[in-house]
Amino acid sequence: FQLQASGGGWVQPGGSLTLSCATSGFNLAHYAIGWFRQVPGKEREGVSCIRSDDGNTYHVDSVKGRFTISSDDAKNTVYLQMNNLKPEDTAVYYCAATYVVTGFGGCPIFKYEYDAWGQGTQVTVSS
């Protein structure tokens, strides 16, 4: 299992970034991929999730309408398009994977539901 997050950086408020999670060693069709973020002193929180088996996606309320998660199964890569970024979006962003069974469950969004994690990529939103 390997997950490699990239695409972070510095952006001004209102700007956009696209994060990528390159995966290898497993078939995305059988896994959910989640994006999480963490700031120092706080718990890692779920942001978005996608399941390739049924196309289900989920975004937490704080990013709905601004973030979009998508998957390119041919490239084994999951993306997080982040628009209208706010200073409170500043965090280290992680991607993670967990096995799912088609027809069971929704899109996992809690960190305890995930088994494999990539390294983080820093996103900084400031003027």
Side-chain angles (χ1 to χ4, degrees):
F1 264 60
Q2 278 205 323
L3 299 101
Q4 179 107 13
S6 63
W10 172 83
V11 65
Q12 290 186 331
S16 298
L17 281 174
T18 299
L19 304 184
S20 299
C21 178
T23 71
S24 62
F26 61 98
N27 187 343
L28 264 184
H30 302 300
Y31 286 80
I33 301 295
W35 281 101
F36 292 76
R37 64 188 181 187
Q38 189 170 21
V39 297
K42 289 195 172 182
E43 288 289 319
R44 191 170 298 185
E45 64 170 356
V47 175
S48 303
C49 165
I50 188 167
R51 291 180 58 150
S52 292
D53 61 336
D54 60 11
N56 195 4
T57 62
Y58 179 79
H59 300 279
V60 295
D61 286 347
S62 61
V63 307
K64 271 181 188 172
R66 301 189 298 122
F67 291 12
T68 303
I69 192 170
S70 62
S71 176
D72 185 336
D73 290 0
K75 294 183 178 179
N76 295 317
T77 301
V78 173
Y79 303 96
L80 185 67
Q81 173 69 42
M82 307 185 295
N83 297 326
N84 190 22
L85 281 160
K86 303 176 180 181
E88 52 263 43
D89 295 318
T90 295
V92 178
Y93 283 71
Y94 300 86
C95 58
T98 188
Y99 184 77
V100 292
V101 177
T102 300
F104 289 90
C107 211
I109 199 64
F110 297 105
K111 64 179 183 179
Y112 72 84
E113 298 179 282
Y114 285 82
D115 312 302
W117 293 82
Q119 91 296 348
T121 185
Q122 175 72 46
V123 171
T124 303
V125 185
S126 73
S127 52

